[in-house]
Amino acid sequence: MSDNSTLAVLDMPGLRVALVAISGPAAAFIPGAMPLIEPLPTDGPHPLPADLPADLEPRRLGEGYCAVDESGQLAVSWIALPLLPHETLTMAWDASDGPVPTLQALSLGGRPAAFMSAAWSAASRERLPLLVVRAGPDSCWLVGGRISPVELARVAASLPVFS
């Protein structure tokens, strides 16, 4: 049974993020849900961060992107999502994963951003940090991974802005 109670809300000019409780089947781990990591297609430009750590190589990850370390392990991922100015981005958290993660308001390159100390995912059992940053008036970037929060912020701040 799913419990959609609100755990936390971060409301700032230009960005609103809500963390809601999930449980039961809604919180299930789905093996195989993680898209395959593939080389970047050569058919055009890709929205890559200008400040990607030097030891990481960019790749395609389903509808988004990622960067891998020298062993091929995913280090950071980013995906653009539609998010109109008046909409709330809803993120899920399963209480069985531990205490409710903190939501922290940031400004990255003058853009509103929300840092989440851990993020739930059906595609992974890891609960990695996540940053949500405005990508433009109608979109946002979700940036998460195994790199440090400072590096995560650098990557997120250096992603392209859409007009």
Side-chain angles (χ1 to χ4, degrees), residues 4-76:
N4 282 333
S5 65
T6 301
L7 301 171
V9 175
L10 185 59
D11 197 354
M12 63 186 97
L15 185 63
R16 180 178 163 87
V17 178
L19 191 58
V20 298
I22 59 167
S23 61
F29 171 64
I30 304 171
M34 179 70 80
L36 293 175
I37 296 173
E38 300 176 311
L40 285 179
T42 57
D43 62 353
H46 301 284
L48 302 179
D51 196 358
L52 190 63
D55 59 337
L56 300 181
E57 288 291 324
R59 299 281 189 269
R60 190 73 185 180
L61 182 67
E63 296 296 313
Y65 294 85
C66 70
V68 297
D69 62 20
E70 58 278 347
S71 70
Q73 183 176 358
L74 187 144
V76 61

Side-chain angles (χ1 to χ4, degrees), residues 77 89 91 114-119 128-132 142-145 152:
S77 65
L89 179 65
M91 305 296 294
F115 176 75
M116 223 165 98
S117 58
L128 301 171
L130 179 82
L131 262 165
V132 180
L142 260 59
V143 184
L152 208 59

